Amino acid sequence: MSRPFQPGDSSHPALHPSVTNVPVTPGVHLTGRSAYFEPEGPAQNAALPFDPETATPGPNWSANSYFSQHKQKPKSGDGPNLKHDLADVDPRAAHPALNLSGRIISATFTIPYNCSFSAGNDWEMRSRRGTSALYDSFSYLASSSSPWNHTLVGWTGEISESVPCAAESAAKPQLEGNKAAAPIPVDANAAAPQSTQTEGLRIGRADRDRLEKHLERDHGGKIIPVWLADEIKKDEDALVLKDQSRWRRYAEHELYTLFHYKQNAPADGRAARKTWADYYRMNRLFADRIVDLYKPGDIIIIHDFYLMLLPSLIRQRLPNAYIGFFLHTPFPSSEFYRCLSQRKEILEGVLGANMIGFQSYSYSRHFSSCCTRILGFDSSSAGVDAYGAHVAVDVFPIGINATSTLQQAFNDPLIQEKIKAMRELYAGKKIIVGRDRLDSVRGVPQKLQAFEMFLERYPEWQNKVVLIQVTSPSKVQAEKGEDEDKFVNKVSDLVARINGTYGNLYFSPVQHFPQYLSREEYFALLRVADVALITSVRDGMNTTSLEYVVCQKDHHGPLILSEFSGTSSSLQNAIHINPWDMAGVADALNEALTMTEEQRKEQHEKSFKYVVENNVQAWTNNYLRRLMTNLSSVDQSFATPALDKAQLLSQYRQAKKRLFMFDYDGTLTPIVKDPSAAVPSDRVLRTLKTLASDPANNVWIISGRDQAFLEEWMGHISELGLSAEHGSFMRRPRSEDWENLTEKEDMSWQSEVLRVFQEYTEKTQGSFVERKKIALTWHYRRADPEYGAFQARECQKHLEKTVATKWDVEVMTGKANLEVRPRFVNKGEIAKRLVQEYGQEGGLEFVFCAGDDFTDEDMFRSLRQSKLPTNHVFSVTVGASSKQTLASWHVVEPADIIAVISLLNGNSEGGNAGAVAVVDGSVPEMEKSI
């Protein structure tokens, strides 16, 4: 019996590991020998604060690891006398005001190893494929050449059950020849392999501790695993792992798909709801792990689309933490991004960072545009104003470890053997190389169709050129299943058609290898190529293009690169093509194959210089340097984190006595130009009534509105308490009587204020006066915004010099209004009064207070001054991204407040599913919305 499929494996028979592990190079054995040899010749200097060839090795975390496995001997003579940024050598001295600890915590989705488990035995670990550039960055940070103390946090990944060596050997099928080179077989009647794990893996505390110690002790840099389990057996202190791939489904099926400008087929939302809950829970567990590790002054760097909620989840618990985020994939335009159901939650999650990095300028511009169009936040090319702080947005094209790539590609005799075998096999032929994952976004069908057109339009190249296309299985779940089978079959059909049309018994112009490559084969292929063809229809940073440039340092083969690749903006001297323009790609192939040696050399030297200088070490230093500069130049102390719904729900359920205080305009309903049109929707009323019907809840609406308005629209909900005109009047729950708290006060000031307001109304078209029993308000929402604001400032100065000097009143600025009221009347006094009243008989265990404008700050101030435990109080400001507030939490708009109330009422739909999953450990089936 063949080995069980791992969760990352394909279900297509042609992509079974028994096929994909066959070598590409005929006649050259796979020895497993290391590609790391002590280099000869001068070091390649990449303007780093160390010499890469004499540096102490970092941990070997990828196939393209940061340093060679053999420690280099120092060479005689001093290296180049270069001046380096102090932040690269001693960041604490460069930025003393930040009080840095010297530690970096990097969060990535998975640790660099695939883990196999057998109870009571040592763990088996194999290097994980893919993301080599990112792992090289971690390896550099963990080495002695970096000034940082580095800790890597990541999920264990799908853990497989160890199989005894003898049994595994017997289970492997014997292969005859290289079946992968033939057209891909498809057996429509073959059933997909079934996992033998029905009960799941049970991993006890001792086994978990063994892995954690092993990762920290034996693998250079410190690695902290995050454990994600389907069940937790508390009595046994054991984790049960069943459906392990559940933790990647939302990111790969929803985010990866959308970020690459694709959309899933319509569905009823049940599956997406569960995967969203898993995504939220996973990010929360990462946050738990990092918060436990964190020390003041640490820098936290979070990577990629799997962890887009993590910056905000950490910010909620560590308000002053230094957090950076980097997205390695594309980011789509707002018109495409807005199709995502959880579009707000994802943006809010990322905006918990101090700085957000992207591969290219277009991706950063799309992100900023989404923040403005979807969240209403102010943004520019420099960043986004979010939650009272400025979040920097910048571009950092990632590089590769150029020095290590050179060492591996040119210092291994085995690679020379493979190059020789390939040249003999394809003697007299020009070699075009393509190496892609089997993802639809990699543009393999476009490449094959363009190559077919090239052979048709340029018949002189027939039988003189070969395309070697290597397609490794996709690691992304969105590409699995029926769609993957169709895609594989399409590629196979194209290969068969081209070979049938332009090939013969002795030669096939397309050599297609659907498999992984060994490191030696990969570098041999890049070195032997005459042209590299990359036709991605959308991707982040294509490291194959960078490695090809390095491998062509002697041969100077041209690079044809898709303009939709994240690398295109970096490699300006490549031949850029539109992969959808088949004729254009065909012409580019002919251009590349007919270039003179001088043209090829000139083009290559510029690209080579860029790749060597902008390597992964320089990328790491550049990102950290920019982050520290932003932290030093922008005061982040006023930032207010997004509301932590899970913490809110948990405290709500524990509390036996609760108090709610809501502002009305801008909090429960959106701000509108005509105040009389701001009527509550049916959903708002039903949600409030449900909340107030709980005997443990005391719910108040504290508004600047007058009694008549509140009575008309809220009066029928008898369980609600109402406070009008900023606390001047009160109507208690289950009562119809209003209490005037200001009836003994002198109101003679109103006539003078009214006269001034009428004067400015006549000057300002579209403005009007609202007369309340206690306060007077001048509105200019309907006026020209700039002129209205100017007149408001003039009116405020006038009143402060006259009325405010004669009476004990204050002139308040609101949202497109100016209000005059007695100083003793404010929402803070009514909030203080309610906290005292409801806290007399028994301690209040939960207080929720929400407001959107300056007048609501009085309530937030009052709650800060109260003696209530801080974890019992949730003061929430609504709206304005740049607002600096006394509230503890932030939401974007009134709809978020209604969603929060619905969550407390028991509704787990939409964005609430994640918070429910964290608190309950699971998500209930879909229910009717409230």
Side-chain angles (χ1 to χ4, degrees):
M1 183 181 71
S2 62
R3 74 168 180 81
F5 274 25
Q6 299 303 319
D9 293 339
S10 169
S11 62
H12 197 283
L15 300 182
H16 192 283
S18 62
V19 175
T20 61
N21 287 338
V22 176
V24 168
T25 315
V28 180
H29 63 285
L30 290 176
T31 64
R33 288 163 55 186
S34 170
Y36 300 102
F37 284 80
E38 188 163 353
E40 299 176 1
Q44 294 289 336
N45 193 293
L48 294 168
F50 59 91
D51 183 349
E53 292 201 15
T54 61
T56 304
N60 180 13
W61 280 346
S62 77
N64 200 15
S65 70
Y66 174 61
F67 292 104
S68 66
Q69 291 177 344
H70 298 286
K71 186 174 180 178
Q72 306 300 314
K73 296 179 181 179
K75 300 186 178 183
S76 60
D78 295 329
N81 185 19
L82 298 173
K83 292 183 179 180
H84 302 289
D85 195 307
L86 181 61
D88 295 339
V89 181
D90 190 352
R92 283 182 283 190
H95 298 277
L98 295 180
N99 295 316
L100 296 172
S101 66
R103 301 199 325 159
I104 289 180
I105 301 174
S106 293
T108 189
F109 181 50
T110 55
I111 62 174
Y113 302 102
N114 289 304
C115 301
S116 297
F117 163 77
S118 177
N121 297 317
D122 287 339
W123 291 75
E124 297 177 16
M125 291 187 289
R126 302 174 308 281
S127 293
R128 188 180 299 277
R129 294 183 184 272
T131 60
S132 60
L134 179 58
Y135 288 147
D136 280 346
S137 172
F138 298 151
S139 183
Y140 161 57
L141 287 171
S143 73
S144 61
S145 299
S146 163
W148 300 97
N149 185 333
H150 183 251
T151 299
L152 178 61
V153 177
W155 176 39
T156 59
E158 290 89 350
I159 297 173
S160 60
E161 193 166 9
S162 296
V163 179
C165 293
E168 188 179 68
S169 177
K172 285 186 177 179
Q174 299 298 314
L175 296 176
E176 297 180 5
N178 189 352
K179 294 183 179 179
I184 300 175
V186 178
D187 184 357
N189 299 318
Q194 299 296 318
S195 173
T196 58
Q197 298 177 14
T198 55
E199 299 297 325
L201 286 177
R202 186 183 297 260
I203 304 179
R205 168 58 63 186
D207 289 312
R208 301 201 300 275
D209 289 344
R210 189 179 300 112
L211 176 62
E212 293 186 12
K213 290 178 181 177
H214 190 43
L215 287 171
E216 183 173 354
R217 181 189 63 208
D218 299 335
H219 292 270
K222 185 177 182 181
I223 302 176
I224 304 296
V226 175
W227 298 93
L228 303 176
D230 294 82
E231 297 177 22
I232 300 176
K233 301 290 185 181
K234 293 185 178 180
D235 53 335
E236 305 173 23
D237 196 9
L239 305 180
V240 179
L241 314 182
K242 294 181 180 178
D243 181 12
Q244 297 187 64
S245 59
R246 64 187 288 187
W247 307 108
R248 63 171 73 242
R249 283 196 190 115
Y250 181 84
E252 295 182 358
H253 190 263
E254 303 294 336
L255 297 182
Y256 180 89
T257 301
L258 192 82
F259 286 6
H260 289 83
Y261 287 83
K262 300 191 297 178
Q263 287 183 296
N264 296 312
D268 63 5
R270 294 176 186 270
R273 179 169 170 271
K274 290 185 177 179
T275 58
W276 164 252
D278 286 339
Y279 185 76
Y280 189 101
R281 284 180 63 196
M282 177 190 73
N283 276 260
R284 184 83 182 200
L285 289 168
F286 265 82
D288 292 343
R289 197 67 153 154
I290 291 171
V291 169
D292 288 343
L293 293 170
Y294 176 82
K295 295 179 181 178
D298 288 356
I299 290 180
I300 302 168
I301 309 294
I302 300 163
H303 292 272
D304 227 1
F305 61 98
Y306 295 97
L307 302 174
M308 296 188 81
L309 301 180
L310 187 54
S312 182
L313 292 174
I314 295 175
R315 179 72 63 204
Q316 289 165 352
R317 296 157 72 178
L318 301 172
N320 299 315
Y322 303 144
I323 304 173
F325 179 85
F326 189 83
L327 184 67
H328 294 261
T329 66
F331 194 90
S333 68
S334 61
E335 290 304 309
F336 216 89
Y337 178 80
R338 67 195 311 163
C339 298
L340 185 67
S341 298
Q342 289 78 24
R343 58 192 186 185
K344 287 175 57 178
E345 289 84 355
I346 294 296
L347 292 177
E348 290 170 356
V350 178
L351 287 171
N354 299 104
M355 186 179 79
I356 303 168
F358 294 90
Q359 298 278 20
S360 75
Y361 174 71
S362 61
Y363 303 158
S364 69
R365 180 169 52 84
H366 290 160
F367 176 81
S368 296
S369 175
C370 285
C371 291
T372 298
R373 293 173 180 268
I374 294 172
L375 300 180
F377 288 0
D378 293 335
S379 67
S380 67
S381 59
V384 180
D385 291 334
Y387 309 119
H390 181 76
V391 179
V393 175
D394 218 327
V395 179
F396 305 90
I398 198 171
I400 60 170
N401 187 342
T403 301
S404 176
T405 302
L406 279 168
Q407 292 171 3
Q408 296 173 68
F410 289 91
N411 294 338
D412 190 342
L414 182 58
I415 293 178
Q416 293 298 132
E417 295 178 31
K418 292 179 179 290
I419 291 174
K420 181 181 178 182
M422 287 187 194
R423 284 177 175 162
E424 290 175 356
L425 183 64
Y426 303 114
K429 305 288 192 300
K430 292 288 187 180
I431 299 174
I432 302 170
V433 166
R435 186 260 193 179
D436 308 271
R437 287 203 184 96
L438 201 59
D439 295 351
S440 57
V441 299
R442 305 299 175 182
V444 176
Q446 287 85 347
K447 181 185 303 184
L448 292 170
Q449 289 169 331
F451 182 68
E452 183 179 29
M453 183 172 288
F454 164 73
L455 294 176
E456 178 186 343
R457 296 182 63 164
Y458 298 95
E460 65 270 22
W461 285 109
Q462 294 176 18
N463 296 316
K464 296 181 180 178
V465 66
V466 59
L467 170 63
I468 302 177
Q469 176 61 45
V470 180
T471 50
S472 56
S474 174
K475 65 177 184 177
V476 178
Q477 281 199 358
E479 301 289 340
K480 307 290 184 184
E482 183 180 345
D483 290 340
E484 179 197 42
D485 292 344
K486 292 179 180 178
F487 183 73
V488 169
N489 293 339
K490 181 177 182 179
V491 170
S492 179
D493 290 344
L494 285 169
V495 171
R497 188 174 78 196
I498 296 170
N499 287 338
T501 304
Y502 298 101
N504 52 49
L505 290 176
Y506 310 102
F507 172 67
S508 296
V510 178
Q511 299 292 320
H512 181 219
F513 301 94
Q515 62 186 85
Y516 289 114
L517 290 180
S518 70
R519 180 170 52 245
E520 294 83 1
E521 287 180 307
Y522 175 59
F523 287 123
L525 194 60
L526 294 187
R527 283 186 59 188
V528 81
D530 294 293
V531 176
L533 179 57
I534 296 173
T535 54
S536 307
V537 295
R538 193 73 59 176
D539 72 7
M541 186 55 60
N542 190 299
T543 55
T544 298
S545 61
L546 304 176
E547 289 161 342
Y548 173 76
V549 169
V550 171
C551 289
Q552 288 288 315
K553 78 179 182 73
D554 297 328
H555 191 45
H556 307 147
L559 169 65
I560 302 175
L561 182 60
S562 167
E563 65 187 52
F564 297 109
S565 168
T567 327
S568 62
S569 59
S570 302
L571 296 178
Q572 295 287 342
N573 293 285
I575 301 174
H576 291 179
I577 50 94
N578 176 358
W580 301 101
D581 177 10
M582 309 303 172
V585 179
D587 293 341
L589 280 170
N590 183 63
E591 177 190 349
L593 290 169
T594 56
M595 289 175 70
T596 65
E597 172 58 29
E598 291 74 16
Q599 290 174 320
R600 292 165 51 191
K601 184 176 181 181
E602 180 184 2
Q603 187 183 81
H604 178 268
E605 284 179 347
K606 294 177 182 178
S607 295
F608 185 82
K609 183 175 186 292
Y610 173 86
V611 174
V612 170
E613 291 181 353
N614 295 275
N615 53 38
V616 72
Q617 303 95 315
W619 172 79
T620 305
N621 289 336
N622 187 26
Y623 184 92
L624 289 169
R625 190 164 55 245
R626 201 83 59 86
L627 174 60
M628 290 184 289
T629 299
N630 281 314
L631 289 170
S632 298
S633 59
V634 179
D635 186 358
Q636 302 286 341
S637 62
F638 295 104
T640 307
L643 178 62
D644 186 341
K645 292 184 179 180
Q647 182 182 337
L648 177 80
L649 180 61
S650 176
Q651 185 59 38
Y652 177 85
R653 290 184 177 177
Q654 296 175 35
K656 296 180 180 178
K657 193 172 186 180
R658 315 180 189 107
L659 173 63
F660 291 85
M661 294 177 284
F662 299 102
D663 172 44
Y664 181 76
D665 290 285
T667 301
L668 295 176
T669 62
I671 295 290
V672 294
K673 287 190 174 182
D674 184 358
S676 63
V679 298
S681 67
D682 180 63
R683 183 177 181 229
V684 169
L685 294 173
R686 286 187 291 112
T687 303
L688 284 173
K689 184 172 179 62
T690 302
L691 183 72
S693 64
D694 187 329
N697 294 342
N698 301 281
V699 184
W700 281 78
I701 309 298
I702 303 177
S703 174
R705 293 280 189 164
D706 60 20
Q707 298 164 265
F709 182 91
L710 294 181
E711 189 76 59
E712 178 181 2
W713 294 107
M714 300 284 186
H716 64 286
I717 306 178
S718 61
E719 297 90 347
L720 283 181
L722 303 177
S723 174
E725 298 194 33
H726 304 290
S728 300
F729 301 91
M730 291 178 64
R731 197 202 77 170
R732 297 186 176 278
R734 298 176 181 81
S735 171
E736 297 182 359
D737 299 327
W738 284 89
E739 179 183 355
N740 185 351
L741 303 181
T742 63
E743 58 185 350
K744 297 180 180 179
E745 300 299 324
D746 180 11
M747 295 296 168
S748 57
W749 55 268
Q750 287 187 335
S751 59
E752 186 171 347
V753 172
L754 184 60
R755 180 183 58 77
V756 174
F757 276 170
Q758 287 173 341
E759 177 185 338
Y760 277 86
T761 300
E762 292 172 1
K763 295 179 182 178
T764 313
Q765 186 177 2
S767 65
F768 60 94
V769 178
E770 180 185 6
R771 185 165 187 172
K772 305 172 185 177
K773 291 185 177 180
I774 301 299
L776 290 173
T777 306
W778 182 65
H779 294 275
Y780 55 94
R781 294 179 192 174
R782 301 174 186 171
D784 176 82
E786 292 185 6
Y787 187 66
F790 169 75
Q791 289 290 74
R793 289 192 295 270
E794 293 300 308
C795 184
Q796 182 179 5
K797 292 177 185 176
H798 186 163
L799 291 170
E800 288 175 345
K801 290 180 181 179
T802 56
V803 179
T805 61
K806 301 177 185 177
W807 286 278
D808 189 22
V809 297
E810 59 182 340
V811 184
M812 304 289 294
T813 56
K815 290 187 176 179
N817 68 65
L818 202 61
E819 182 168 281
V820 182
R821 68 185 186 192
R823 288 189 180 276
F824 62 86
V825 175
N826 64 69
K827 293 182 179 181
E829 289 299 318
I830 196 68
K832 180 179 178 181
R833 181 171 182 165
L834 292 175
V835 168
Q836 290 175 342
E837 287 185 10
Y838 288 107
Q840 286 180 351
E841 299 176 1
L844 278 171
E845 297 174 310
F846 181 94
V847 176
F848 184 92
C849 178
D852 73 304
D853 69 12
F854 185 81
T855 63
D856 300 310
E857 294 296 314
D858 292 329
M859 290 196 291
F860 305 148
R861 183 181 294 104
S862 177
L863 290 174
R864 279 181 177 267
Q865 294 171 351
S866 72
K867 296 181 181 180
L868 294 170
T870 55
N871 62 325
H872 290 183
V873 178
F874 294 85
S875 54
V876 183
T877 191
V878 184
S881 60
S882 58
K883 181 191 300 181
Q884 295 180 354
T885 177
L886 292 172
S888 301
W889 304 99
H890 204 134
V891 298
V892 175
E893 59 185 351
D896 296 330
I897 292 293
I898 303 306
V900 166
I901 302 173
S902 297
L903 170 68
L904 302 182
N905 287 342
N907 186 302
S908 59
E909 301 309 308
N912 290 338
V916 174
V918 168
V919 176
D920 293 345
S922 63
V923 182
E925 293 300 320
M926 289 184 72
E927 57 201 39
K928 294 182 180 180
S929 61
I930 295 177

